[in-house]
Amino acid sequence: MAFWLGQTLNGLSFGALLFLMASGLSLIFGLMRIVNIAHGSYYLLGAYIGLTVVRRTGHFGLALLAAIVALALIGAVMQRLFLARFYRQEQAQVLLTMGFSFAFADLALWLWGGDPQRLATPAPLARAVTLGPAFFPAYRLAVLLVGAAVAVVIWLVLERTRLGAVVRAAVDDQEMARGLGINVAPILTGMFAFGAALAGFGGVMGAPFLGAYPGLDSDVLPLAFAVVIIGGLGSLKGALVGSMLVGVLDNFGKALFPELSYFTLFVPMAVILALRPTGLFGRG
Amino acid sequence: MRHRRRRAPWFLIGGGLALLLIPQLVPVYFTHLLILTLVYGLAAMSLDLLLGYTGLVSFGHAAYFGTAAYTMGVVAQRLQTGSLTAMGAGVLAAAVLAALFGLLAMRATAVYFLIITLALGMGTWGLAYRWVSMTGGDNGLPGIPAVDLGFGWPLRDPVALYYFILLVCAAAAFLLYRLTLSPFGLALQGIRESEGRMRMLGYNTWLHKYLAFILAGATGGLAGTLYAAYNGFVSPTDLHITASAEQVLMVILGGSGTLFGPVLGAGVVVFLRNLVSAYAQRWLLILGIVFIVTVLHAPEGLLGKALTLAGRRARPAASGTPEAAGARPGGVVAEQATEPEQEGA
């Protein structure tokens, strides 16, 4: 019992981390139809930037802030200077973001070296809490709560504010939104920067248990893709449900069948795809 | 179109002669690079069947290459079969994998197809990486036996192996070439231009695309078995997203929609990689920059760019404006972007 509860919570907290990545990936796709291969790099850069800032200042909050700002900038520059030129040219955008992902991976290797590094868990959270029969690391619980909070905030902003209404209008029909006099270009840049910042934020949040190492970007990207394929591209609800599902499946896969753990993840994904090609909450 | 076809045999004979003679003239190091060019060229050519001819943007093509290579290695080592049987098993495994993945991916269209092939390719990489008892995991699968054609002398000498690989690649390329000119191949190109119209004309477009997908997977697998026979070693890197991306880059660099362009693109990537081997650590950075620069400045590929430039110089008054040339079918950027314009034109 303790095993199942512990592993489920582990999976859910990993899912919360995935949500930080996948929600940005999904929103960017929903708005701009960009399959952003560089999204894993945002996570990686976030983790490394967080590590550097904590080593310099010893402050975890500052690390989060630095990663958010840095990745928002990187995202905005990429969207503004490169991707915006290729509106509606999906293949070109994929190639571009793929080129960026290679360049980022190599730059990270150059700047931070090839050894795996781990961020110390923030002191107040470096303990275990008792949850019924199981002990559970307080930090992972915090990640779970932060993920939930981020989900609620994004949902509130999208559903309850004017900005959210404008974004939803742009998602539904960019041409129409333009026609209504909405200035779409800064919204696109802003959303891209926001998605990148979320992934960078996730990178710092995840660094105490996933660490930072070369190849981390291409370890998390397939999982984020699995999330959006299962949940449905462009759907926030899909990103949330997909993250939890993928987090739990991946965790149990690794715990129960370490050799075939990708099967436990990709077979359910294949089944969902076969039944619903656009994912659980996708609109096609 | 007509005089390009008439000129093709001379270009082919010249190229073929060069490929036959080169290993006799150059240091053996270049023969190794040429082998890699042929092997990756075949893989890129098979991908181009989807990317350039059918308009299916597949981003997980290294999965078939790698699966075939692993299958060949495992079969040859565990079952002790001859290398040709093991190669056959590899190609079959790639075809079966493509048949399975095709069923899933083909339900989706356009950009969903892209993301699903990408994810499936990543899943295959994960399997190769984590299924340690079968694949050796991170350490890869060493000791794949050299090709033995049954005369009792395995092809270990690079020049002999080069001619064997050249023969296989030339045969495969010829078949692919015939295929693109066959009614089936022309139907694929019709699907690329407008799937809706082809469906209306009574073509079973799903089946056409599905068969192309399996064929491309099997041919990619053939390249994978040649690679395994040459290299004697397969590792998860050969299925990684980077490997898939390199194959896409080869197609784009050489010019998608031209069957022999991807071989040129493969040559560029192989030689570039070895030129910068002094800075091996920075290969990914250079590859990334090549990607970005290509998309920004030569979306129709090196061959396409060269043809455009040559065409512009040869007949300046003709309708070959840069815009028209850019919208040439098969250009990366043009492919999906100009759909509405083409309808209107």
Side-chain angles (χ1 to χ4, degrees), chain B residues 277-293:
Chain B
S277 62
Y279 325 92
Q281 290 283 349
R282 298 285 82 83
W283 166 241
L284 263 186
L285 184 62
I286 290 162
L287 188 66
I289 292 170
V290 171
F291 252 83
I292 295 167
V293 171

PDB file of all heavy atoms in Angstrom, chain B residues 277-293:
ATOM      1  N   SER B 277      35.573  17.479 -37.207  1.00  0.00           N
ATOM      2  CA  SER B 277      35.822  16.500 -36.149  1.00  0.00           C
ATOM      3  C   SER B 277      36.904  16.989 -35.193  1.00  0.00           C
ATOM      4  O   SER B 277      37.003  16.516 -34.066  1.00  0.00           O
ATOM      5  CB  SER B 277      36.209  15.149 -36.744  1.00  0.00           C
ATOM      6  OG  SER B 277      37.409  15.291 -37.466  1.00  0.00           O
ATOM      7  N   ALA B 278      37.687  17.957 -35.640  1.00  0.00           N
ATOM      8  CA  ALA B 278      38.666  18.541 -34.734  1.00  0.00           C
ATOM      9  C   ALA B 278      37.962  19.234 -33.573  1.00  0.00           C
ATOM     10  O   ALA B 278      38.478  19.299 -32.466  1.00  0.00           O
ATOM     11  CB  ALA B 278      39.548  19.537 -35.481  1.00  0.00           C
ATOM     12  N   TYR B 279      36.760  19.727 -33.866  1.00  0.00           N
ATOM     13  CA  TYR B 279      35.970  20.360 -32.814  1.00  0.00           C
ATOM     14  C   TYR B 279      34.732  19.497 -32.570  1.00  0.00           C
ATOM     15  O   TYR B 279      33.615  19.982 -32.559  1.00  0.00           O
ATOM     16  CB  TYR B 279      35.532  21.760 -33.197  1.00  0.00           C
ATOM     17  CG  TYR B 279      36.543  22.512 -34.013  1.00  0.00           C
ATOM     18  CD1 TYR B 279      36.515  22.481 -35.396  1.00  0.00           C
ATOM     19  CD2 TYR B 279      37.526  23.268 -33.374  1.00  0.00           C
ATOM     20  CE1 TYR B 279      37.448  23.162 -36.144  1.00  0.00           C
ATOM     21  CE2 TYR B 279      38.469  23.947 -34.118  1.00  0.00           C
ATOM     22  CZ  TYR B 279      38.425  23.894 -35.503  1.00  0.00           C
ATOM     23  OH  TYR B 279      39.351  24.577 -36.231  1.00  0.00           O
ATOM     24  N   ALA B 280      34.925  18.197 -32.397  1.00  0.00           N
ATOM     25  CA  ALA B 280      33.800  17.259 -32.323  1.00  0.00           C
ATOM     26  C   ALA B 280      32.768  17.709 -31.307  1.00  0.00           C
ATOM     27  O   ALA B 280      31.575  17.505 -31.493  1.00  0.00           O
ATOM     28  CB  ALA B 280      34.311  15.875 -31.971  1.00  0.00           C
ATOM     29  N   GLN B 281      33.261  18.336 -30.234  1.00  0.00           N
ATOM     30  CA  GLN B 281      32.334  18.774 -29.191  1.00  0.00           C
ATOM     31  C   GLN B 281      31.316  19.772 -29.731  1.00  0.00           C
ATOM     32  O   GLN B 281      30.209  19.867 -29.237  1.00  0.00           O
ATOM     33  CB  GLN B 281      33.120  19.442 -28.048  1.00  0.00           C
ATOM     34  CG  GLN B 281      33.960  18.493 -27.241  1.00  0.00           C
ATOM     35  CD  GLN B 281      33.127  17.692 -26.263  1.00  0.00           C
ATOM     36  OE1 GLN B 281      31.968  17.994 -26.054  1.00  0.00           O
ATOM     37  NE2 GLN B 281      33.706  16.662 -25.673  1.00  0.00           N
ATOM     38  N   ARG B 282      31.733  20.523 -30.753  1.00  0.00           N
ATOM     39  CA  ARG B 282      30.846  21.596 -31.221  1.00  0.00           C
ATOM     40  C   ARG B 282      30.000  21.187 -32.423  1.00  0.00           C
ATOM     41  O   ARG B 282      29.363  22.016 -33.041  1.00  0.00           O
ATOM     42  CB  ARG B 282      31.681  22.839 -31.579  1.00  0.00           C
ATOM     43  CG  ARG B 282      32.436  23.428 -30.410  1.00  0.00           C
ATOM     44  CD  ARG B 282      31.544  24.192 -29.463  1.00  0.00           C
ATOM     45  NE  ARG B 282      30.844  23.348 -28.498  1.00  0.00           N
ATOM     46  CZ  ARG B 282      31.376  22.917 -27.364  1.00  0.00           C
ATOM     47  NH1 ARG B 282      32.580  23.221 -27.027  1.00  0.00           N
ATOM     48  NH2 ARG B 282      30.676  22.161 -26.540  1.00  0.00           N
ATOM     49  N   TRP B 283      29.998  19.882 -32.748  1.00  0.00           N
ATOM     50  CA  TRP B 283      29.269  19.436 -33.940  1.00  0.00           C
ATOM     51  C   TRP B 283      27.794  19.823 -33.893  1.00  0.00           C
ATOM     52  O   TRP B 283      27.230  20.308 -34.861  1.00  0.00           O
ATOM     53  CB  TRP B 283      29.418  17.919 -34.103  1.00  0.00           C
ATOM     54  CG  TRP B 283      28.463  17.315 -35.080  1.00  0.00           C
ATOM     55  CD1 TRP B 283      27.521  16.374 -34.819  1.00  0.00           C
ATOM     56  CD2 TRP B 283      28.336  17.622 -36.478  1.00  0.00           C
ATOM     57  NE1 TRP B 283      26.816  16.073 -35.946  1.00  0.00           N
ATOM     58  CE2 TRP B 283      27.295  16.826 -36.984  1.00  0.00           C
ATOM     59  CE3 TRP B 283      28.992  18.493 -37.340  1.00  0.00           C
ATOM     60  CZ2 TRP B 283      26.901  16.866 -38.316  1.00  0.00           C
ATOM     61  CZ3 TRP B 283      28.591  18.539 -38.669  1.00  0.00           C
ATOM     62  CH2 TRP B 283      27.562  17.730 -39.140  1.00  0.00           C
ATOM     63  N   LEU B 284      27.173  19.632 -32.731  1.00  0.00           N
ATOM     64  CA  LEU B 284      25.742  19.932 -32.618  1.00  0.00           C
ATOM     65  C   LEU B 284      25.464  21.406 -32.865  1.00  0.00           C
ATOM     66  O   LEU B 284      24.481  21.767 -33.508  1.00  0.00           O
ATOM     67  CB  LEU B 284      25.243  19.568 -31.226  1.00  0.00           C
ATOM     68  CG  LEU B 284      24.578  18.209 -31.067  1.00  0.00           C
ATOM     69  CD1 LEU B 284      24.019  18.072 -29.676  1.00  0.00           C
ATOM     70  CD2 LEU B 284      23.470  18.038 -32.091  1.00  0.00           C
ATOM     71  N   LEU B 285      26.352  22.253 -32.349  1.00  0.00           N
ATOM     72  CA  LEU B 285      26.179  23.692 -32.537  1.00  0.00           C
ATOM     73  C   LEU B 285      26.231  24.026 -34.022  1.00  0.00           C
ATOM     74  O   LEU B 285      25.391  24.768 -34.550  1.00  0.00           O
ATOM     75  CB  LEU B 285      27.279  24.448 -31.779  1.00  0.00           C
ATOM     76  CG  LEU B 285      27.189  25.971 -31.796  1.00  0.00           C
ATOM     77  CD1 LEU B 285      25.901  26.432 -31.141  1.00  0.00           C
ATOM     78  CD2 LEU B 285      28.376  26.578 -31.080  1.00  0.00           C
ATOM     79  N   ILE B 286      27.214  23.437 -34.711  1.00  0.00           N
ATOM     80  CA  ILE B 286      27.363  23.707 -36.143  1.00  0.00           C
ATOM     81  C   ILE B 286      26.157  23.168 -36.910  1.00  0.00           C
ATOM     82  O   ILE B 286      25.579  23.841 -37.768  1.00  0.00           O
ATOM     83  CB  ILE B 286      28.681  23.088 -36.657  1.00  0.00           C
ATOM     84  CG1 ILE B 286      29.853  23.890 -36.069  1.00  0.00           C
ATOM     85  CG2 ILE B 286      28.740  23.097 -38.172  1.00  0.00           C
ATOM     86  CD1 ILE B 286      31.157  23.176 -36.113  1.00  0.00           C
ATOM     87  N   LEU B 287      25.736  21.949 -36.534  1.00  0.00           N
ATOM     88  CA  LEU B 287      24.569  21.357 -37.175  1.00  0.00           C
ATOM     89  C   LEU B 287      23.340  22.263 -36.985  1.00  0.00           C
ATOM     90  O   LEU B 287      22.586  22.523 -37.922  1.00  0.00           O
ATOM     91  CB  LEU B 287      24.306  19.979 -36.569  1.00  0.00           C
ATOM     92  CG  LEU B 287      23.247  19.119 -37.225  1.00  0.00           C
ATOM     93  CD1 LEU B 287      23.675  18.718 -38.620  1.00  0.00           C
ATOM     94  CD2 LEU B 287      22.975  17.871 -36.390  1.00  0.00           C
ATOM     95  N   GLY B 288      23.178  22.754 -35.762  1.00  0.00           N
ATOM     96  CA  GLY B 288      22.054  23.633 -35.471  1.00  0.00           C
ATOM     97  C   GLY B 288      22.091  24.880 -36.332  1.00  0.00           C
ATOM     98  O   GLY B 288      21.071  25.296 -36.892  1.00  0.00           O
ATOM     99  N   ILE B 289      23.278  25.461 -36.451  1.00  0.00           N
ATOM    100  CA  ILE B 289      23.398  26.692 -37.234  1.00  0.00           C
ATOM    101  C   ILE B 289      23.136  26.400 -38.711  1.00  0.00           C
ATOM    102  O   ILE B 289      22.467  27.181 -39.404  1.00  0.00           O
ATOM    103  CB  ILE B 289      24.782  27.330 -36.998  1.00  0.00           C
ATOM    104  CG1 ILE B 289      24.863  27.848 -35.557  1.00  0.00           C
ATOM    105  CG2 ILE B 289      25.021  28.481 -37.971  1.00  0.00           C
ATOM    106  CD1 ILE B 289      26.233  28.272 -35.113  1.00  0.00           C
ATOM    107  N   VAL B 290      23.638  25.246 -39.199  1.00  0.00           N
ATOM    108  CA  VAL B 290      23.383  24.874 -40.602  1.00  0.00           C
ATOM    109  C   VAL B 290      21.873  24.770 -40.847  1.00  0.00           C
ATOM    110  O   VAL B 290      21.343  25.271 -41.847  1.00  0.00           O
ATOM    111  CB  VAL B 290      24.076  23.541 -40.949  1.00  0.00           C
ATOM    112  CG1 VAL B 290      23.627  23.049 -42.313  1.00  0.00           C
ATOM    113  CG2 VAL B 290      25.583  23.695 -40.933  1.00  0.00           C
ATOM    114  N   PHE B 291      21.173  24.147 -39.889  1.00  0.00           N
ATOM    115  CA  PHE B 291      19.720  24.049 -39.960  1.00  0.00           C
ATOM    116  C   PHE B 291      19.079  25.426 -40.128  1.00  0.00           C
ATOM    117  O   PHE B 291      18.295  25.670 -41.031  1.00  0.00           O
ATOM    118  CB  PHE B 291      19.202  23.465 -38.639  1.00  0.00           C
ATOM    119  CG  PHE B 291      18.719  22.060 -38.759  1.00  0.00           C
ATOM    120  CD1 PHE B 291      19.602  21.007 -38.711  1.00  0.00           C
ATOM    121  CD2 PHE B 291      17.374  21.794 -38.889  1.00  0.00           C
ATOM    122  CE1 PHE B 291      19.161  19.713 -38.801  1.00  0.00           C
ATOM    123  CE2 PHE B 291      16.917  20.502 -38.980  1.00  0.00           C
ATOM    124  CZ  PHE B 291      17.814  19.455 -38.937  1.00  0.00           C
ATOM    125  N   ILE B 292      19.446  26.316 -39.203  1.00  0.00           N
ATOM    126  CA  ILE B 292      18.803  27.633 -39.163  1.00  0.00           C
ATOM    127  C   ILE B 292      19.103  28.400 -40.445  1.00  0.00           C
ATOM    128  O   ILE B 292      18.203  28.965 -41.080  1.00  0.00           O
ATOM    129  CB  ILE B 292      19.271  28.419 -37.911  1.00  0.00           C
ATOM    130  CG1 ILE B 292      18.790  27.695 -36.650  1.00  0.00           C
ATOM    131  CG2 ILE B 292      18.760  29.844 -37.938  1.00  0.00           C
ATOM    132  CD1 ILE B 292      19.427  28.169 -35.367  1.00  0.00           C
ATOM    133  N   VAL B 293      20.375  28.380 -40.865  1.00  0.00           N
ATOM    134  CA  VAL B 293      20.757  29.124 -42.059  1.00  0.00           C
ATOM    135  C   VAL B 293      20.066  28.552 -43.295  1.00  0.00           C
ATOM    136  O   VAL B 293      19.605  29.293 -44.168  1.00  0.00           O
ATOM    137  CB  VAL B 293      22.297  29.113 -42.232  1.00  0.00           C
ATOM    138  CG1 VAL B 293      22.695  29.694 -43.570  1.00  0.00           C
ATOM    139  CG2 VAL B 293      22.946  29.899 -41.101  1.00  0.00           C
TER     140      VAL B 293
END
